[in-house]
Amino acid sequence: MFARLAQGPHGRAGRSLGGVALVVIALVLAACQGTASPAPGSDTVKVFGAFATQIEEPWDGVIHAALEAEQAAGRIEYTFSDDIGYAGDMERVLRETAEKDKPDIIFGDAFGNEEAVRKVAADFPDIAFVFGSGGGPANPNFSVFDNWIHEPAYLAGMIAGGLTTSGVIGVVGGYPVPEVNRIINAFIQGAQATNESVEVKVTFLNSWFDPGAAKEAALAQVGAGADVLYAERFGVIEAAQEKGLVAVGNMSDQQSLAPGNVVTSVTWNMGPTVKYVIDQVIAASYTSQDLKDFSMVGKGGAALAAVNTGVPGGVSDALKAEVAAREAEIKAGTFRVDINEAQPPGSTIAGG
């Protein structure tokens, strides 16, 4: 199918991206052993997407959207399977795909499927495996990424803190894992920057995709006084719309879900990560590495969506200016958002 793996050292583990120029990375990687590249004489890469949850789940949706964009550009042949589930089901799908379809790259969500995905990757070293992970890469072909969107989460928190009139903000998250905790903690930090006395209620669902439970948790927070809701999980925006309140979207720009209620979204763009990996594979220089930096603001992997002033209560020019000034500082590297991956104090588990 394709001989993509070269010999040599590979990058270390991790999950976020810094500000090193792509040309510098390319030079460094050129000195390392490569891994994948398409079949000789072909510039089109065969890619498979493996998603544990439904594609509507925002995390998977962002990865899927980036791959669809590359397919539309004619650079890849893309197929995917969603709602696969965990453990044995994921391992079975990956093995069947690797053996029968022989893709050049397999992208996927991986969280909850770490052991299964790494096991299959080790058995198919000529395929580039690129999965979301809290761990590190594994030679020669397993790369990791994560959604390092704590910076725009901080900015969204500033907006939420400036908009609340009750002084209470609600956040509904998936699991209290480091990757989610750091986003929520950054959001809380931002809210406190514009409202020192704000109270932030955090509820974890213990599920990555349960819109009904997410809405129920959000409504409970509204009942406890919250008038601004951060939808870290899908389903919260529906609660905000139902109650005529303000919501902050997550992963992608979710204003279209409730145009009169979503003030902004904490967005993740997998485009830079996907493009980088595909470029590597085409050049026969793919190496296992931590793709962390490509999911951060510095490389366009994370951003705050446009502020919607048409939400209940509106958004003042002064608040917009304050947020814009802080955003400029983040982009310039003069302000760094803290990375705190501990479970937020006072947070609760739904049903617990």
Side-chain angles (χ1 to χ4, degrees):
M1 119 198 183
F2 68 98
R4 303 187 188 251
L5 300 184
Q7 318 300 317
H10 298 284
R12 62 172 295 279
R15 292 177 309 212
S16 95
L17 290 180
V20 184
L22 286 177
V23 64
V24 175
I25 296 176
L27 290 173
V28 172
L29 292 174
C32 299
Q33 59 189 52
T35 314
S37 78
S42 172
D43 288 331
T44 301
V45 177
K46 192 173 183 180
V47 179
F48 178 72
F51 305 110
T53 62
Q54 298 174 37
I55 206 66
E56 289 80 11
E57 193 278 317
W59 169 283
D60 288 349
V62 168
I63 303 169
H64 178 64
L67 292 169
E68 283 194 314
E70 289 287 353
Q71 178 173 244
R75 298 218 307 153
I76 67 173
E77 297 176 12
Y78 172 54
T79 58
F80 73 94
S81 180
D82 70 337
D83 205 16
I84 296 172
Y86 296 90
D89 289 334
M90 177 62 78
E91 182 173 347
R92 174 184 54 77
V93 169
L94 290 178
R95 287 192 182 281
E96 290 177 354
T97 300
E99 291 170 355
K100 297 177 182 179
D101 298 334
K102 296 179 172 56
D104 300 318
I105 311 171
I106 299 179
F107 275 94
D109 45 18
F111 286 97
N113 277 311
E114 283 274 337
E115 184 176 350
V117 173
R118 289 176 181 270
K119 183 178 179 181
V120 178
D123 290 341
F124 294 91
D126 287 342
I127 297 176
F129 283 74
V130 186
F131 278 78
S133 174
N139 292 338
N141 63 325
F142 190 84
S143 291
V144 297
F145 62 83
D146 198 356
N147 63 332
W148 288 81
I149 54 176
H150 59 293
E151 294 162 319
Y154 177 95
L155 298 173
M158 290 181 67
I159 294 174
L163 291 183
T164 179
T165 57
S166 69
V168 181
I169 297 170
V171 180
V172 178
Y175 289 89
V177 296
E179 296 77 16
V180 175
N181 292 340
R182 69 164 176 260
I183 298 170
I184 295 176
N185 284 326
F187 178 84
I188 294 171
Q189 183 186 357
Q192 293 170 339
T194 52
N195 188 335
E196 293 182 358
S197 60
V198 71
E199 178 185 359
V200 182
K201 296 182 177 296
V202 180
T203 302
F204 290 102
L205 301 175
N206 263 353
S207 172
W208 290 127
F209 190 69
D210 191 340
K215 179 181 179 181
E216 183 179 341
L219 289 174
Q221 293 174 343
V222 172
D227 61 353
V228 180
L229 301 172
Y230 178 24
E232 200 279 325
R233 290 292 104 187
F234 197 74
V236 175
I237 291 173
E238 185 178 348
Q241 185 177 40
E242 184 176 297
K243 294 297 184 179
L245 301 175
V246 176
V248 174
N250 198 54
M251 298 291 186
S252 60
D253 188 347
Q254 297 181 318
Q255 184 179 339
S256 63
L257 297 180
N261 303 89
V262 177
V263 63
T264 188
S265 296
V266 177
T267 69
W268 178 37
N269 176 16
M270 267 290 286
T273 303
V274 168
K275 181 181 184 303
Y276 177 71
V277 171
I278 292 171
D279 286 347
Q280 274 202 313
V281 169
I282 289 174
S285 61
Y286 173 79
T287 57
S288 63
Q289 60 189 285
D290 176 5
L291 298 164
K292 172 181 179 179
D293 290 349
F294 294 94
S295 284
M296 295 182 76
V297 166
K299 289 191 182 295
L304 185 72
V307 177
N308 173 19
T309 59
V311 297
V315 182
S316 70
D317 289 340
L319 179 57
K320 287 180 63 178
E322 185 176 359
V323 172
R326 181 52 50 85
E327 183 177 33
E329 292 174 349
I330 291 173
K331 290 179 177 178
T334 57
F335 182 85
R336 179 168 294 182
V337 178
D338 291 340
I339 296 177
N340 178 0
E341 297 186 335
Q343 184 170 336
S347 58
T348 60
I349 308 295

